[in-house]
Short mmCIF file of all heavy atoms in Angstrom, two decimals:
data_model
loop_
_atom_site.label_atom_id
_atom_site.label_comp_id
_atom_site.label_asym_id
_atom_site.label_seq_id
_atom_site.Cartn_x
_atom_site.Cartn_y
_atom_site.Cartn_z
N ARG A 1 -73.05 124.67 -5.41
CA ARG A 1 -71.64 124.75 -5.02
C ARG A 1 -70.80 123.76 -5.80
O ARG A 1 -69.66 124.07 -6.19
CB ARG A 1 -71.52 124.51 -3.52
CG ARG A 1 -72.03 125.69 -2.69
CD ARG A 1 -72.02 125.42 -1.21
NE ARG A 1 -72.47 126.59 -0.47
CZ ARG A 1 -72.79 126.57 0.82
NH1 ARG A 1 -72.70 125.43 1.50
NH2 ARG A 1 -73.19 127.67 1.42
N LEU A 2 -71.34 122.58 -6.05
CA LEU A 2 -70.62 121.60 -6.85
C LEU A 2 -70.32 122.14 -8.24
O LEU A 2 -69.23 121.93 -8.79
CB LEU A 2 -71.45 120.32 -6.95
CG LEU A 2 -70.91 119.23 -7.90
CD1 LEU A 2 -69.58 118.69 -7.41
CD2 LEU A 2 -71.94 118.11 -8.05
N LEU A 3 -71.28 122.88 -8.81
CA LEU A 3 -71.15 123.39 -10.17
C LEU A 3 -70.62 124.82 -10.22
O LEU A 3 -70.64 125.45 -11.28
CB LEU A 3 -72.52 123.32 -10.86
CG LEU A 3 -73.15 121.92 -10.93
CD1 LEU A 3 -74.50 121.98 -11.64
CD2 LEU A 3 -72.21 120.95 -11.64
N ASP A 4 -70.16 125.34 -9.07
CA ASP A 4 -69.62 126.70 -9.00
C ASP A 4 -70.64 127.72 -9.51
O ASP A 4 -70.32 128.62 -10.29
CB ASP A 4 -68.32 126.81 -9.79
CG ASP A 4 -67.55 128.09 -9.46
OD1 ASP A 4 -67.72 128.62 -8.34
OD2 ASP A 4 -66.81 128.58 -10.34
N SER A 5 -71.87 127.54 -9.08
CA SER A 5 -72.98 128.41 -9.47
C SER A 5 -73.42 129.22 -8.26
O SER A 5 -73.50 128.69 -7.16
CB SER A 5 -74.15 127.57 -9.99
OG SER A 5 -75.19 128.38 -10.48
N PRO A 6 -73.69 130.52 -8.41
CA PRO A 6 -74.02 131.35 -7.26
C PRO A 6 -75.38 131.03 -6.65
O PRO A 6 -76.28 130.55 -7.33
CB PRO A 6 -74.01 132.77 -7.84
CG PRO A 6 -74.31 132.60 -9.29
CD PRO A 6 -73.67 131.29 -9.68
N VAL A 7 -75.51 131.31 -5.37
CA VAL A 7 -76.79 131.27 -4.67
C VAL A 7 -77.05 132.67 -4.15
O VAL A 7 -76.14 133.50 -4.05
CB VAL A 7 -76.81 130.23 -3.53
CG1 VAL A 7 -76.61 128.83 -4.07
CG2 VAL A 7 -75.72 130.56 -2.50
N TRP A 8 -78.28 132.95 -3.81
CA TRP A 8 -78.63 134.29 -3.34
C TRP A 8 -79.74 134.19 -2.32
O TRP A 8 -80.43 133.18 -2.23
CB TRP A 8 -79.05 135.17 -4.52
CG TRP A 8 -80.25 134.66 -5.25
CD1 TRP A 8 -81.55 135.04 -5.07
CD2 TRP A 8 -80.29 133.65 -6.27
NE1 TRP A 8 -82.39 134.34 -5.90
CE2 TRP A 8 -81.64 133.47 -6.66
CE3 TRP A 8 -79.30 132.88 -6.90
CZ2 TRP A 8 -82.03 132.56 -7.62
CZ3 TRP A 8 -79.70 131.97 -7.87
CH2 TRP A 8 -81.04 131.82 -8.23
N THR A 9 -79.90 135.24 -1.53
CA THR A 9 -80.88 135.24 -0.44
C THR A 9 -82.01 136.21 -0.75
O THR A 9 -82.05 136.83 -1.82
CB THR A 9 -80.20 135.66 0.87
OG1 THR A 9 -79.77 137.03 0.75
CG2 THR A 9 -79.00 134.78 1.17
N GLY A 10 -82.91 136.35 0.22
CA GLY A 10 -84.03 137.26 0.05
C GLY A 10 -83.61 138.70 -0.05
O GLY A 10 -84.39 139.56 -0.49
N ALA A 11 -82.36 139.01 0.36
CA ALA A 11 -81.87 140.38 0.23
C ALA A 11 -81.64 140.76 -1.23
O ALA A 11 -81.65 141.94 -1.58
CB ALA A 11 -80.57 140.53 1.02
N ASP A 12 -81.42 139.76 -2.07
CA ASP A 12 -81.22 139.99 -3.50
C ASP A 12 -82.10 139.05 -4.31
O ASP A 12 -81.61 138.19 -5.04
CB ASP A 12 -79.76 139.75 -3.88
CG ASP A 12 -78.81 140.68 -3.15
OD1 ASP A 12 -78.88 141.89 -3.39
OD2 ASP A 12 -78.00 140.17 -2.35
N PRO A 13 -83.43 139.16 -4.17
CA PRO A 13 -84.29 138.23 -4.90
C PRO A 13 -84.17 138.40 -6.41
O PRO A 13 -83.88 139.49 -6.91
CB PRO A 13 -85.70 138.61 -4.41
CG PRO A 13 -85.58 140.04 -4.00
CD PRO A 13 -84.21 140.18 -3.44
N VAL A 14 -84.37 137.32 -7.11
CA VAL A 14 -84.33 137.32 -8.57
C VAL A 14 -85.73 136.97 -9.07
O VAL A 14 -86.38 136.08 -8.53
CB VAL A 14 -83.31 136.29 -9.08
CG1 VAL A 14 -83.30 136.24 -10.60
CG2 VAL A 14 -81.91 136.62 -8.55
N THR A 15 -86.19 137.66 -10.08
CA THR A 15 -87.53 137.39 -10.59
C THR A 15 -87.51 136.22 -11.55
O THR A 15 -86.48 135.89 -12.15
CB THR A 15 -88.11 138.62 -11.31
OG1 THR A 15 -87.33 138.88 -12.50
CG2 THR A 15 -88.10 139.84 -10.41
N LEU A 16 -88.66 135.62 -11.72
CA LEU A 16 -88.79 134.53 -12.68
C LEU A 16 -88.44 135.00 -14.07
O LEU A 16 -87.82 134.26 -14.85
CB LEU A 16 -90.23 133.97 -12.65
CG LEU A 16 -90.52 132.84 -13.63
CD1 LEU A 16 -89.62 131.64 -13.38
CD2 LEU A 16 -91.99 132.43 -13.54
N ALA A 17 -88.79 136.23 -14.42
CA ALA A 17 -88.46 136.76 -15.75
C ALA A 17 -86.95 136.82 -15.95
O ALA A 17 -86.45 136.50 -17.05
CB ALA A 17 -89.07 138.15 -15.93
N GLN A 18 -86.19 137.20 -14.94
CA GLN A 18 -84.73 137.24 -15.05
C GLN A 18 -84.16 135.85 -15.28
O GLN A 18 -83.24 135.66 -16.09
CB GLN A 18 -84.12 137.86 -13.79
CG GLN A 18 -84.34 139.35 -13.63
CD GLN A 18 -83.80 139.85 -12.30
OE1 GLN A 18 -84.45 139.70 -11.26
NE2 GLN A 18 -82.61 140.40 -12.32
N LEU A 19 -84.66 134.88 -14.55
CA LEU A 19 -84.18 133.51 -14.69
C LEU A 19 -84.57 132.95 -16.05
O LEU A 19 -83.79 132.24 -16.70
CB LEU A 19 -84.76 132.65 -13.57
CG LEU A 19 -84.26 133.04 -12.17
CD1 LEU A 19 -85.17 132.46 -11.10
CD2 LEU A 19 -82.82 132.59 -11.96
N TRP A 20 -85.77 133.25 -16.48
CA TRP A 20 -86.26 132.82 -17.80
C TRP A 20 -85.32 133.32 -18.89
O TRP A 20 -84.94 132.58 -19.79
CB TRP A 20 -87.66 133.38 -17.99
CG TRP A 20 -88.40 132.97 -19.21
CD1 TRP A 20 -88.17 133.38 -20.50
CD2 TRP A 20 -89.53 132.08 -19.29
NE1 TRP A 20 -89.06 132.83 -21.37
CE2 TRP A 20 -89.92 132.02 -20.64
CE3 TRP A 20 -90.24 131.36 -18.33
CZ2 TRP A 20 -91.00 131.26 -21.07
CZ3 TRP A 20 -91.31 130.60 -18.75
CH2 TRP A 20 -91.69 130.54 -20.11
N ASP A 21 -84.94 134.60 -18.80
CA ASP A 21 -84.07 135.21 -19.80
C ASP A 21 -82.69 134.59 -19.83
O ASP A 21 -81.96 134.74 -20.82
CB ASP A 21 -83.94 136.71 -19.55
CG ASP A 21 -85.20 137.48 -19.87
OD1 ASP A 21 -86.05 136.95 -20.62
OD2 ASP A 21 -85.36 138.62 -19.38
N ALA A 22 -82.28 133.91 -18.74
CA ALA A 22 -80.95 133.30 -18.67
C ALA A 22 -80.89 131.94 -19.36
O ALA A 22 -79.82 131.33 -19.44
CB ALA A 22 -80.52 133.16 -17.22
N ILE A 23 -82.01 131.45 -19.88
CA ILE A 23 -82.05 130.17 -20.59
C ILE A 23 -81.83 130.41 -22.08
O ILE A 23 -82.55 131.20 -22.69
CB ILE A 23 -83.39 129.45 -20.37
CG1 ILE A 23 -83.56 129.09 -18.89
CG2 ILE A 23 -83.49 128.20 -21.24
CD1 ILE A 23 -84.90 128.45 -18.56
N PRO A 24 -80.85 129.77 -22.69
CA PRO A 24 -80.63 129.95 -24.12
C PRO A 24 -81.88 129.62 -24.93
O PRO A 24 -82.60 128.66 -24.65
CB PRO A 24 -79.51 128.95 -24.43
CG PRO A 24 -78.75 128.85 -23.15
CD PRO A 24 -79.81 128.92 -22.08
N GLY A 25 -82.15 130.46 -25.91
CA GLY A 25 -83.30 130.24 -26.78
C GLY A 25 -84.56 130.94 -26.35
O GLY A 25 -85.51 131.05 -27.12
N MET A 26 -84.59 131.43 -25.11
CA MET A 26 -85.81 132.07 -24.62
C MET A 26 -85.93 133.53 -25.05
O MET A 26 -86.96 134.16 -24.84
CB MET A 26 -85.89 131.98 -23.10
CG MET A 26 -86.15 130.59 -22.56
SD MET A 26 -87.68 129.85 -23.19
CE MET A 26 -86.99 128.57 -24.25
N ALA A 27 -84.90 134.09 -25.66
CA ALA A 27 -84.97 135.47 -26.15
C ALA A 27 -86.08 135.63 -27.17
O ALA A 27 -86.70 136.69 -27.27
CB ALA A 27 -83.63 135.89 -26.74
#
């Protein structure tokens, strides 16, 4: 919340692969 970054619940789980892809350079 301090960084204006979203949070999500179990209704919308995110996979580790999705989070991995969001890191610059991991493509």
Side-chain angles (χ1 to χ4, degrees):
R1 288 175 178 167
L2 173 65
L3 302 180
D4 194 27
S5 185
V7 297
W8 61 96
T9 65
D12 299 295
V14 178
T15 66
L16 179 59
Q18 289 175 280
L19 295 163
W20 185 288
D21 289 340
I23 296 176
M26 290 302 110

